[in-house]
mmCIF file of all heavy atoms in Angstrom:
data_model
loop_
_atom_site.group_PDB
_atom_site.id
_atom_site.type_symbol
_atom_site.label_atom_id
_atom_site.label_comp_id
_atom_site.label_asym_id
_atom_site.label_seq_id
_atom_site.Cartn_x
_atom_site.Cartn_y
_atom_site.Cartn_z
ATOM 1 N N SER G 4 -21.630 -7.218 9.533
ATOM 2 C CA SER G 4 -21.039 -6.141 10.329
ATOM 3 C C SER G 4 -19.905 -6.722 11.161
ATOM 4 O O SER G 4 -20.114 -7.647 11.941
ATOM 5 C CB SER G 4 -22.107 -5.512 11.241
ATOM 6 O OG SER G 4 -21.548 -4.494 12.036
ATOM 7 N N TYR G 5 -18.713 -6.198 10.979
ATOM 8 C CA TYR G 5 -17.540 -6.752 11.649
ATOM 9 C C TYR G 5 -17.185 -5.989 12.929
ATOM 10 O O TYR G 5 -16.636 -6.571 13.860
ATOM 11 C CB TYR G 5 -16.349 -6.770 10.690
ATOM 12 C CG TYR G 5 -16.621 -7.560 9.429
ATOM 13 C CD1 TYR G 5 -16.994 -6.934 8.253
ATOM 14 C CD2 TYR G 5 -16.544 -8.949 9.419
ATOM 15 C CE1 TYR G 5 -17.268 -7.648 7.094
ATOM 16 C CE2 TYR G 5 -16.820 -9.681 8.278
ATOM 17 C CZ TYR G 5 -17.180 -9.024 7.118
ATOM 18 O OH TYR G 5 -17.466 -9.742 5.977
ATOM 19 N N ASP G 6 -17.490 -4.685 12.967
ATOM 20 C CA ASP G 6 -17.272 -3.862 14.178
ATOM 21 C C ASP G 6 -15.881 -4.090 14.764
ATOM 22 O O ASP G 6 -15.707 -4.402 15.940
ATOM 23 C CB ASP G 6 -18.339 -4.180 15.235
ATOM 24 C CG ASP G 6 -19.736 -3.818 14.774
ATOM 25 O OD1 ASP G 6 -19.870 -2.814 14.062
ATOM 26 O OD2 ASP G 6 -20.677 -4.562 15.106
ATOM 27 N N LEU G 7 -14.863 -3.940 13.938
ATOM 28 C CA LEU G 7 -13.498 -4.207 14.386
ATOM 29 C C LEU G 7 -12.909 -2.995 15.097
ATOM 30 O O LEU G 7 -13.126 -1.851 14.694
ATOM 31 C CB LEU G 7 -12.617 -4.574 13.188
ATOM 32 C CG LEU G 7 -13.058 -5.788 12.372
ATOM 33 C CD1 LEU G 7 -12.085 -6.027 11.229
ATOM 34 C CD2 LEU G 7 -13.149 -7.022 13.254
ATOM 35 N N LEU G 8 -12.169 -3.264 16.140
ATOM 36 C CA LEU G 8 -11.461 -2.222 16.882
ATOM 37 C C LEU G 8 -9.975 -2.391 16.614
ATOM 38 O O LEU G 8 -9.356 -3.361 17.059
ATOM 39 C CB LEU G 8 -11.751 -2.325 18.391
ATOM 40 C CG LEU G 8 -11.024 -1.310 19.283
ATOM 41 C CD1 LEU G 8 -11.457 0.109 18.927
ATOM 42 C CD2 LEU G 8 -11.292 -1.597 20.759
ATOM 43 N N VAL G 9 -9.410 -1.466 15.861
ATOM 44 C CA VAL G 9 -8.002 -1.543 15.482
ATOM 45 C C VAL G 9 -7.157 -0.848 16.537
ATOM 46 O O VAL G 9 -7.321 0.344 16.790
ATOM 47 C CB VAL G 9 -7.759 -0.901 14.104
ATOM 48 C CG1 VAL G 9 -6.287 -0.986 13.725
ATOM 49 C CG2 VAL G 9 -8.628 -1.567 13.057
ATOM 50 N N SER G 10 -6.275 -1.590 17.177
ATOM 51 C CA SER G 10 -5.386 -1.031 18.196
ATOM 52 C C SER G 10 -3.942 -1.331 17.838
ATOM 53 O O SER G 10 -3.658 -2.225 17.040
ATOM 54 C CB SER G 10 -5.705 -1.640 19.572
ATOM 55 O OG SER G 10 -5.476 -3.037 19.574
ATOM 56 N N ASN G 11 -3.042 -0.557 18.405
ATOM 57 C CA ASN G 11 -1.600 -0.773 18.227
ATOM 58 C C ASN G 11 -1.161 -0.603 16.778
ATOM 59 O O ASN G 11 -0.128 -1.136 16.362
ATOM 60 C CB ASN G 11 -1.199 -2.177 18.705
ATOM 61 C CG ASN G 11 0.215 -2.225 19.252
ATOM 62 O OD1 ASN G 11 0.655 -1.275 19.871
ATOM 63 N ND2 ASN G 11 0.909 -3.320 19.025
ATOM 64 N N SER G 12 -1.952 0.127 15.981
ATOM 65 C CA SER G 12 -1.613 0.291 14.564
ATOM 66 C C SER G 12 -0.408 1.209 14.362
ATOM 67 O O SER G 12 0.195 1.209 13.291
ATOM 68 C CB SER G 12 -2.819 0.858 13.802
ATOM 69 O OG SER G 12 -3.192 2.118 14.336
ATOM 70 N N ASP G 13 -0.061 2.013 15.387
ATOM 71 C CA ASP G 13 1.076 2.926 15.254
ATOM 72 C C ASP G 13 2.368 2.333 15.808
ATOM 73 O O ASP G 13 3.363 3.034 15.948
ATOM 74 C CB ASP G 13 0.766 4.250 15.963
ATOM 75 C CG ASP G 13 0.408 4.057 17.435
ATOM 76 O OD1 ASP G 13 0.167 2.895 17.829
ATOM 77 O OD2 ASP G 13 0.370 5.062 18.161
ATOM 78 N N GLU G 14 2.355 1.041 16.130
ATOM 79 C CA GLU G 14 3.557 0.383 16.640
ATOM 80 C C GLU G 14 4.376 -0.119 15.451
ATOM 81 O O GLU G 14 4.288 -1.275 15.043
ATOM 82 C CB GLU G 14 3.167 -0.777 17.563
ATOM 83 C CG GLU G 14 4.340 -1.467 18.256
ATOM 84 C CD GLU G 14 5.229 -0.498 19.003
ATOM 85 O OE1 GLU G 14 4.872 -0.106 20.126
ATOM 86 O OE2 GLU G 14 6.274 -0.141 18.437
ATOM 87 N N TYR G 15 5.180 0.793 14.879
ATOM 88 C CA TYR G 15 5.885 0.466 13.652
ATOM 89 C C TYR G 15 7.078 -0.466 13.874
ATOM 90 O O TYR G 15 7.662 -0.966 12.911
ATOM 91 C CB TYR G 15 6.335 1.747 12.952
ATOM 92 C CG TYR G 15 5.170 2.596 12.520
ATOM 93 C CD1 TYR G 15 4.873 3.799 13.152
ATOM 94 C CD2 TYR G 15 4.332 2.167 11.487
ATOM 95 C CE1 TYR G 15 3.782 4.564 12.754
ATOM 96 C CE2 TYR G 15 3.241 2.915 11.085
ATOM 97 C CZ TYR G 15 2.968 4.118 11.727
ATOM 98 O OH TYR G 15 1.885 4.861 11.346
ATOM 99 N N THR G 16 7.466 -0.685 15.114
ATOM 100 C CA THR G 16 8.542 -1.642 15.375
ATOM 101 C C THR G 16 8.096 -3.077 15.108
ATOM 102 O O THR G 16 8.930 -3.981 15.052
ATOM 103 C CB THR G 16 9.022 -1.529 16.837
ATOM 104 O OG1 THR G 16 7.910 -1.761 17.703
ATOM 105 C CG2 THR G 16 9.601 -0.148 17.108
ATOM 106 N N LEU G 17 6.784 -3.300 14.942
ATOM 107 C CA LEU G 17 6.273 -4.639 14.682
ATOM 108 C C LEU G 17 6.004 -4.893 13.195
ATOM 109 O O LEU G 17 5.456 -5.937 12.842
ATOM 110 C CB LEU G 17 4.971 -4.864 15.468
ATOM 111 C CG LEU G 17 5.082 -4.880 16.995
ATOM 112 C CD1 LEU G 17 3.707 -5.084 17.623
ATOM 113 C CD2 LEU G 17 6.018 -5.992 17.451
ATOM 114 N N LEU G 18 6.398 -3.943 12.350
ATOM 115 C CA LEU G 18 6.117 -4.120 10.929
ATOM 116 C C LEU G 18 6.811 -5.355 10.364
ATOM 117 O O LEU G 18 6.314 -5.984 9.426
ATOM 118 C CB LEU G 18 6.541 -2.873 10.151
ATOM 119 C CG LEU G 18 5.675 -1.620 10.351
ATOM 120 C CD1 LEU G 18 6.185 -0.473 9.498
ATOM 121 C CD2 LEU G 18 4.216 -1.907 10.034
ATOM 122 N N TRP G 19 7.965 -5.705 10.933
ATOM 123 C CA TRP G 19 8.649 -6.904 10.457
ATOM 124 C C TRP G 19 7.813 -8.156 10.713
ATOM 125 O O TRP G 19 7.887 -9.128 9.958
ATOM 126 C CB TRP G 19 10.017 -7.047 11.146
ATOM 127 C CG TRP G 19 9.916 -7.312 12.621
ATOM 128 C CD1 TRP G 19 9.889 -6.393 13.613
ATOM 129 C CD2 TRP G 19 9.818 -8.591 13.245
ATOM 130 N NE1 TRP G 19 9.771 -7.008 14.840
ATOM 131 C CE2 TRP G 19 9.738 -8.365 14.644
ATOM 132 C CE3 TRP G 19 9.797 -9.904 12.791
ATOM 133 C CZ2 TRP G 19 9.624 -9.402 15.560
ATOM 134 C CZ3 TRP G 19 9.689 -10.934 13.708
ATOM 135 C CH2 TRP G 19 9.617 -10.675 15.072
ATOM 136 N N LEU G 20 6.998 -8.115 11.784
ATOM 137 C CA LEU G 20 6.115 -9.252 12.073
ATOM 138 C C LEU G 20 5.086 -9.421 10.963
ATOM 139 O O LEU G 20 4.810 -10.542 10.525
ATOM 140 C CB LEU G 20 5.416 -9.043 13.417
ATOM 141 C CG LEU G 20 4.323 -10.052 13.780
ATOM 142 C CD1 LEU G 20 4.891 -11.461 13.874
ATOM 143 C CD2 LEU G 20 3.645 -9.663 15.090
ATOM 144 N N TYR G 21 4.531 -8.300 10.481
ATOM 145 C CA TYR G 21 3.541 -8.381 9.408
ATOM 146 C C TYR G 21 4.200 -8.835 8.099
ATOM 147 O O TYR G 21 3.571 -9.529 7.290
ATOM 148 C CB TYR G 21 2.848 -7.030 9.241
ATOM 149 C CG TYR G 21 2.211 -6.557 10.523
ATOM 150 C CD1 TYR G 21 2.642 -5.388 11.148
ATOM 151 C CD2 TYR G 21 1.211 -7.296 11.143
ATOM 152 C CE1 TYR G 21 2.076 -4.966 12.342
ATOM 153 C CE2 TYR G 21 0.642 -6.887 12.338
ATOM 154 C CZ TYR G 21 1.084 -5.721 12.939
ATOM 155 O OH TYR G 21 0.535 -5.320 14.125
ATOM 156 N N GLY G 22 5.468 -8.459 7.900
ATOM 157 C CA GLY G 22 6.192 -8.966 6.756
ATOM 158 C C GLY G 22 6.392 -10.473 6.835
ATOM 159 O O GLY G 22 6.271 -11.195 5.835
ATOM 160 N N THR G 23 6.682 -10.954 8.047
ATOM 161 C CA THR G 23 6.827 -12.399 8.255
ATOM 162 C C THR G 23 5.515 -13.115 7.975
ATOM 163 O O THR G 23 5.493 -14.186 7.342
ATOM 164 C CB THR G 23 7.277 -12.682 9.697
ATOM 165 O OG1 THR G 23 8.510 -11.999 9.956
ATOM 166 C CG2 THR G 23 7.464 -14.171 9.929
ATOM 167 N N ILE G 24 4.408 -12.534 8.443
ATOM 168 C CA ILE G 24 3.090 -13.116 8.172
ATOM 169 C C ILE G 24 2.830 -13.155 6.669
ATOM 170 O O ILE G 24 2.281 -14.131 6.134
ATOM 171 C CB ILE G 24 1.991 -12.308 8.895
ATOM 172 C CG1 ILE G 24 2.097 -12.501 10.412
ATOM 173 C CG2 ILE G 24 0.599 -12.716 8.409
ATOM 174 C CD1 ILE G 24 1.145 -11.642 11.215
ATOM 175 N N GLY G 25 3.251 -12.099 5.960
ATOM 176 C CA GLY G 25 3.063 -12.067 4.510
ATOM 177 C C GLY G 25 3.833 -13.159 3.801
ATOM 178 O O GLY G 25 3.301 -13.842 2.919
ATOM 179 N N ILE G 26 5.086 -13.354 4.177
ATOM 180 C CA ILE G 26 5.906 -14.396 3.549
ATOM 181 C C ILE G 26 5.340 -15.781 3.846
ATOM 182 O O ILE G 26 5.184 -16.622 2.950
ATOM 183 C CB ILE G 26 7.368 -14.293 4.039
ATOM 184 C CG1 ILE G 26 7.993 -12.976 3.570
ATOM 185 C CG2 ILE G 26 8.183 -15.482 3.553
ATOM 186 C CD1 ILE G 26 9.357 -12.702 4.163
ATOM 187 N N PHE G 27 5.027 -16.008 5.120
ATOM 188 C CA PHE G 27 4.505 -17.313 5.519
ATOM 189 C C PHE G 27 3.162 -17.589 4.855
ATOM 190 O O PHE G 27 2.910 -18.699 4.358
ATOM 191 C CB PHE G 27 4.378 -17.367 7.043
ATOM 192 C CG PHE G 27 4.074 -18.734 7.575
ATOM 193 C CD1 PHE G 27 5.050 -19.724 7.590
ATOM 194 C CD2 PHE G 27 2.813 -19.043 8.066
ATOM 195 C CE1 PHE G 27 4.773 -20.985 8.069
ATOM 196 C CE2 PHE G 27 2.529 -20.310 8.555
ATOM 197 C CZ PHE G 27 3.511 -21.276 8.564
ATOM 198 N N GLY G 28 2.290 -16.573 4.840
ATOM 199 C CA GLY G 28 0.978 -16.747 4.209
ATOM 200 C C GLY G 28 1.087 -17.025 2.724
ATOM 201 O O GLY G 28 0.349 -17.843 2.172
ATOM 202 N N SER G 29 2.037 -16.363 2.053
ATOM 203 C CA SER G 29 2.218 -16.591 0.623
ATOM 204 C C SER G 29 2.767 -17.983 0.333
ATOM 205 O O SER G 29 2.361 -18.634 -0.633
ATOM 206 C CB SER G 29 3.153 -15.531 0.041
ATOM 207 O OG SER G 29 3.225 -15.641 -1.366
ATOM 208 N N LEU G 30 3.685 -18.458 1.168
ATOM 209 C CA LEU G 30 4.209 -19.817 1.000
ATOM 210 C C LEU G 30 3.090 -20.846 1.099
ATOM 211 O O LEU G 30 3.006 -21.777 0.291
ATOM 212 C CB LEU G 30 5.283 -20.101 2.051
ATOM 213 C CG LEU G 30 6.612 -19.360 1.891
ATOM 214 C CD1 LEU G 30 7.502 -19.599 3.109
ATOM 215 C CD2 LEU G 30 7.329 -19.802 0.626
ATOM 216 N N LEU G 31 2.211 -20.655 2.078
ATOM 217 C CA LEU G 31 1.081 -21.575 2.232
ATOM 218 C C LEU G 31 0.120 -21.463 1.049
ATOM 219 O O LEU G 31 -0.413 -22.474 0.572
ATOM 220 C CB LEU G 31 0.344 -21.272 3.534
ATOM 221 C CG LEU G 31 1.028 -21.702 4.821
ATOM 222 C CD1 LEU G 31 0.309 -21.098 6.025
ATOM 223 C CD2 LEU G 31 1.054 -23.217 4.948
ATOM 224 N N ALA G 32 -0.094 -20.228 0.582
ATOM 225 C CA ALA G 32 -1.024 -20.017 -0.527
ATOM 226 C C ALA G 32 -0.508 -20.664 -1.812
ATOM 227 O O ALA G 32 -1.277 -21.277 -2.566
ATOM 228 C CB ALA G 32 -1.243 -18.523 -0.742
ATOM 229 N N VAL G 33 0.786 -20.521 -2.081
ATOM 230 C CA VAL G 33 1.369 -21.145 -3.277
ATOM 231 C C VAL G 33 1.269 -22.662 -3.171
ATOM 232 O O VAL G 33 0.949 -23.349 -4.154
ATOM 233 C CB VAL G 33 2.831 -20.695 -3.444
ATOM 234 C CG1 VAL G 33 3.516 -21.510 -4.540
ATOM 235 C CG2 VAL G 33 2.894 -19.210 -3.772
ATOM 236 N N LEU G 34 1.548 -23.196 -1.987
ATOM 237 C CA LEU G 34 1.399 -24.641 -1.779
ATOM 238 C C LEU G 34 -0.043 -25.074 -2.013
ATOM 239 O O LEU G 34 -0.308 -26.078 -2.706
ATOM 240 C CB LEU G 34 1.832 -25.001 -0.358
ATOM 241 C CG LEU G 34 1.604 -26.455 0.079
ATOM 242 C CD1 LEU G 34 2.481 -27.400 -0.737
ATOM 243 C CD2 LEU G 34 1.872 -26.627 1.576
ATOM 244 N N PHE G 35 -0.988 -24.329 -1.461
ATOM 245 C CA PHE G 35 -2.410 -24.634 -1.605
ATOM 246 C C PHE G 35 -2.807 -24.642 -3.080
ATOM 247 O O PHE G 35 -3.442 -25.585 -3.569
ATOM 248 C CB PHE G 35 -3.235 -23.598 -0.832
ATOM 249 C CG PHE G 35 -4.708 -23.877 -0.799
ATOM 250 C CD1 PHE G 35 -5.267 -24.563 0.265
ATOM 251 C CD2 PHE G 35 -5.549 -23.430 -1.812
ATOM 252 C CE1 PHE G 35 -6.635 -24.816 0.313
ATOM 253 C CE2 PHE G 35 -6.912 -23.676 -1.778
ATOM 254 C CZ PHE G 35 -7.453 -24.375 -0.702
ATOM 255 N N ARG G 36 -2.409 -23.616 -3.801
ATOM 256 C CA ARG G 36 -2.814 -23.500 -5.204
ATOM 257 C C ARG G 36 -2.203 -24.605 -6.059
ATOM 258 O O ARG G 36 -2.892 -25.228 -6.882
ATOM 259 C CB ARG G 36 -2.407 -22.128 -5.750
ATOM 260 C CG ARG G 36 -2.781 -21.948 -7.222
ATOM 261 C CD ARG G 36 -2.397 -20.591 -7.748
ATOM 262 N NE ARG G 36 -2.681 -20.513 -9.170
ATOM 263 C CZ ARG G 36 -3.857 -20.241 -9.703
ATOM 264 N NH1 ARG G 36 -4.883 -20.016 -8.915
ATOM 265 N NH2 ARG G 36 -4.027 -20.178 -11.004
ATOM 266 N N ASN G 37 -0.906 -24.859 -5.884
ATOM 267 C CA ASN G 37 -0.238 -25.862 -6.721
ATOM 268 C C ASN G 37 -0.775 -27.268 -6.471
ATOM 269 O O ASN G 37 -1.016 -28.034 -7.410
ATOM 270 C CB ASN G 37 1.269 -25.821 -6.483
ATOM 271 C CG ASN G 37 1.912 -24.569 -7.060
ATOM 272 O OD1 ASN G 37 1.362 -23.935 -7.959
ATOM 273 N ND2 ASN G 37 3.068 -24.198 -6.540
ATOM 274 N N VAL G 38 -0.955 -27.617 -5.199
ATOM 275 C CA VAL G 38 -1.495 -28.942 -4.880
ATOM 276 C C VAL G 38 -2.941 -29.044 -5.360
ATOM 277 O O VAL G 38 -3.370 -30.079 -5.885
ATOM 278 C CB VAL G 38 -1.404 -29.223 -3.364
ATOM 279 C CG1 VAL G 38 -2.070 -30.553 -3.017
ATOM 280 C CG2 VAL G 38 0.054 -29.247 -2.925
ATOM 281 N N TYR G 39 -3.692 -27.958 -5.204
ATOM 282 C CA TYR G 39 -5.084 -27.913 -5.656
ATOM 283 C C TYR G 39 -5.177 -28.220 -7.151
ATOM 284 O O TYR G 39 -5.964 -29.074 -7.586
ATOM 285 C CB TYR G 39 -5.664 -26.533 -5.346
ATOM 286 C CG TYR G 39 -7.074 -26.317 -5.823
ATOM 287 C CD1 TYR G 39 -8.139 -26.424 -4.936
ATOM 288 C CD2 TYR G 39 -7.356 -25.998 -7.146
ATOM 289 C CE1 TYR G 39 -9.443 -26.224 -5.371
ATOM 290 C CE2 TYR G 39 -8.638 -25.797 -7.582
ATOM 291 C CZ TYR G 39 -9.687 -25.907 -6.694
ATOM 292 O OH TYR G 39 -10.970 -25.715 -7.130
ATOM 293 N N LEU G 40 -4.390 -27.512 -7.955
ATOM 294 C CA LEU G 40 -4.448 -27.698 -9.399
ATOM 295 C C LEU G 40 -3.953 -29.083 -9.803
ATOM 296 O O LEU G 40 -4.459 -29.682 -10.765
ATOM 297 C CB LEU G 40 -3.629 -26.615 -10.099
ATOM 298 C CG LEU G 40 -4.158 -25.185 -9.943
ATOM 299 C CD1 LEU G 40 -3.232 -24.193 -10.603
ATOM 300 C CD2 LEU G 40 -5.573 -25.052 -10.498
#
């Protein structure tokens, strides 16, 4: 049970931040996978 409280979800001016997290997370994931293999 995670019981998460989602707040500030309607703050669309921060969507670029989530895009940045996506790019950064994917770069790390590709690095992780390639080095792993």
